[in-house]
Amino acid sequence: MPFIDTHAHVFLRSLPMVANRRYTPGYDASFARYMRVLSDHDVGCGVLIQPSFLGYDNSYLLESLDIYSQALRGVVVVPHDISDDALIDMNQRGVVGIRFNMIGKDIAEIGVPDARSLLKRIANLGWHVEIQAPGAAIPTALRHMEHFEGHIVIDHFGLPDPRLGLRDPGFRALLREGETGRTFVKLSAGYRCHGLDVAPLAGALLATLGPRRLLWGSDWPWTQFEKDRSYAQVSADLSRWMPDLAALNQMDQAASGLFRFSDPLHQALHRQRKVA
């Protein structure tokens, strides 16, 4: 079991939601509940990803970081014209990156001048960029990111076309990213690949990128895929994909650096877990 869960969402039904959302949750996934889940499964740290249905209102995520500043980090969704002061405030509160969720959107949007200006500003903060996009859009997304001076994280195996699997051009592009040393891929939410067996994808990514460019995320609480899903189950999936403990430890070390968890704190907690 990894010590850092790099992909989870928190929200309440009472929060204001964007009008054009694809999904409306019918339950609460509070940060207090998420922290209990982490504790129950001996996971020490988590990364909160702003859900698309909350749009640019990152207030609940930020509240979570304020309360659990040692254990949580955040990845936000922001407008291109967000002020520098707002970015600095988020940085001080534990935000480490922004997300582009390009499902149902034109991937060219991340290449417009305003987006490139935003990328330059977040690079100055040392933040990274997370991209959720269909496999077919991944090569274009990577081209748009060529001038970004930071790390790139691709969500959910790169969401390859299930008819193509390993042959998906976007997934092949991710394998070639090993040469750059700047791109990470999340081994998360394999069920969002529409029935594709993601074990071969995990194997190919491990062999080509190595464990220090892979991240694990639970995708808790599995929005739209909640039925018959549990935290134990999704963590067991990773154990099947990556049974080697040394590789898992390298993944944790990479996550600790990328998401700015305190190395001394992380290592001390990790030692406590191993002793226990």
Side-chain angles (χ1 to χ4, degrees), residues 223-251:
T223 54
Q224 302 181 72
F225 292 86
E226 297 93 343
K227 186 177 180 182
D228 300 324
R229 198 85 50 199
S230 70
Y231 204 92
Q233 178 196 42
V234 296
S235 58
D237 287 340
L238 179 65
S239 298
R240 289 191 292 272
W241 303 332
M242 295 186 62
D244 182 62
L245 181 59
L248 289 176
N249 285 335
Q250 290 182 61
M251 286 178 61

Side-chain angles (χ1 to χ4, degrees), residues 70-128:
Q70 294 296 324
L72 297 178
R73 296 292 181 268
V75 174
V76 294
V77 177
V78 298
H80 296 161
D81 61 353
I82 186 173
S83 70
D84 288 339
D85 286 345
L87 291 174
I88 291 169
D89 176 68
M90 289 179 175
N91 185 63
Q92 293 172 340
R93 296 168 74 177
V95 171
V96 294
I98 65 170
R99 189 190 200 203
F100 291 131
N101 186 337
M102 305 310 296
I103 302 300
K105 298 181 180 179
D106 183 352
I107 199 66
E109 291 179 19
I110 64 176
V112 300
D114 284 350
R116 294 184 66 172
S117 174
L118 173 62
L119 290 174
K120 184 175 181 179
R121 291 192 290 144
I122 69 159
N124 291 336
L125 293 170
W127 290 8
H128 68 274

Side-chain angles (χ1 to χ4, degrees), residues 1-257:
M1 168 78 76
F3 196 67
I4 301 176
D5 178 355
T6 72
H7 198 104
H9 308 284
V10 293
F11 50 83
L12 303 174
R13 285 169 289 181
S14 59
L15 294 171
M17 300 186 187
V18 297
N20 59 341
R21 59 189 179 275
R22 301 188 310 274
Y23 169 77
T24 301
Y27 59 94
D28 293 339
S30 69
F31 54 76
R33 181 181 163 203
Y34 176 59
M35 293 304 296
R36 288 195 297 271
V37 169
L38 292 186
S39 177
D40 288 346
H41 293 86
D42 198 24
V43 177
C45 303
V47 181
L48 302 180
I49 312 298
Q50 174 75 346
S52 61
F53 48 82
L54 295 182
Y56 299 141
D57 182 2
N58 298 280
S59 57
Y60 190 67
L61 183 152
L62 293 170
E63 181 183 351
S64 310
L65 303 186
D66 292 341
I67 294 175
Y68 297 103
S69 59
Q70 294 296 324
L72 297 178
R73 296 292 181 268
V75 174
V76 294
V77 177
V78 298
H80 296 161
D81 61 353
I82 186 173
S83 70
D84 288 339
D85 286 345
L87 291 174
I88 291 169
D89 176 68
M90 289 179 175
N91 185 63
Q92 293 172 340
R93 296 168 74 177
V95 171
V96 294
I98 65 170
R99 189 190 200 203
F100 291 131
N101 186 337
M102 305 310 296
I103 302 300
K105 298 181 180 179
D106 183 352
I107 199 66
E109 291 179 19
I110 64 176
V112 300
D114 284 350
R116 294 184 66 172
S117 174
L118 173 62
L119 290 174
K120 184 175 181 179
R121 291 192 290 144
I122 69 159
N124 291 336
L125 293 170
W127 290 8
H128 68 274
V129 171
E130 303 205 1
I131 299 174
Q132 179 175 223
I138 294 294
T140 303
L142 293 173
R143 285 198 298 273
H144 285 312
M145 301 297 293
E146 286 178 352
H147 300 289
F148 175 58
E149 297 179 356
H151 289 297
I152 303 166
V153 177
I154 303 297
D155 285 347
H156 309 331
F157 294 90
L159 295 176
D161 185 328
R163 296 168 298 181
L164 299 175
L166 291 167
R167 297 180 290 109
D168 182 276
F171 187 77
R172 304 305 298 176
L174 289 183
L175 298 181
R176 292 193 295 272
E177 281 292 294
E179 300 174 1
T180 71
R182 68 170 188 157
T183 300
F184 294 77
V185 180
K186 286 188 181 180
L187 306 183
S188 59
Y191 40 83
R192 298 191 188 274
C193 294
H194 303 288
L196 178 66
D197 179 6
V198 296
L201 304 181
L205 289 165
L206 178 62
T208 306
L209 301 185
R212 292 186 181 275
R213 286 293 176 266
L214 300 180
L215 306 164
W216 175 76
S218 67
D219 196 36
W220 186 90
W222 319 294
T223 54
Q224 302 181 72
F225 292 86
E226 297 93 343
K227 186 177 180 182
D228 300 324
R229 198 85 50 199
S230 70
Y231 204 92
Q233 178 196 42
V234 296
S235 58
D237 287 340
L238 179 65
S239 298
R240 289 191 292 272
W241 303 332
M242 295 186 62
D244 182 62
L245 181 59
L248 289 176
N249 285 335
Q250 290 182 61
M251 286 178 61
D252 259 345
Q253 291 166 12
S256 181

